[in-house]
Amino acid sequence: MNSLAQVYDREFRVRGLREQGWGRGFMATAALIWLWVGYLLVFPFSIDRGERFKPVECESRAFHQDSDYAVSYLKDEGERCDAERDWGPIVAALLLSLPLASLGTGLYVSGTSALRTAKYAAEITRLNATKEV
């Protein structure tokens, strides 16, 4: 293989590794957002109302129902708890994570296929070189 082909092969592999890295980064960011949303939905929390008052204890959004009847979170926990863990920011975080996850998956797959293609081409070149000798 001549030097220009080696340089191109090295650059192709580096570009594939870079795409894999960016893909991992985007997918990790999406996973962190999903973990944060899961934390907001599953764990109970408290609202601090100042120095003179006791904090308000609130159940989680996912496990608030204590009775057999389906009652809303607002009726079960009250207006303060409902306002503290509003659905708007939770849904916005999930919607933000979807493009990050799909972009990260695409970049990771593209980088992986580039690396596999480079390895395949190198192996074919090696096998052709040993056949000719």
Side-chain angles (χ1 to χ4, degrees), residues 19-20 22-28 30 34 97-113:
E19 282 182 1
Q20 269 188 336
W22 277 101
R24 282 187 186 115
F26 283 129
M27 286 190 296
W34 294 336
S97 72
L98 292 177
L100 292 175
S102 55
L103 179 65
T105 303
L107 283 172
Y108 184 77
V109 167
S110 174
T112 301
S113 64

Side-chain angles (χ1 to χ4, degrees), residues 19-90:
E19 282 182 1
Q20 269 188 336
W22 277 101
R24 282 187 186 115
F26 283 129
M27 286 190 296
T29 304
L32 288 174
I33 291 172
W34 294 336
L35 287 172
W36 178 248
V37 166
Y39 171 78
L40 291 176
L41 291 175
V42 171
F43 288 100
F45 59 98
S46 62
I47 303 170
D48 190 23
R49 296 189 303 167
E51 292 179 12
R52 297 188 313 182
F53 301 104
K54 287 178 24 180
V56 175
E57 298 296 324
C58 301
E59 289 294 321
S60 69
R61 274 207 171 266
F63 305 116
H64 66 86
Q65 188 174 356
D66 290 333
S67 66
D68 293 336
Y69 302 106
V71 181
S72 71
Y73 186 76
L74 175 63
K75 291 192 181 191
D76 277 354
E77 294 299 320
E79 198 169 310
R80 283 183 187 263
C81 294
D82 186 55
E84 186 70 21
R85 293 278 165 98
D86 188 25
W87 277 113
I90 293 172

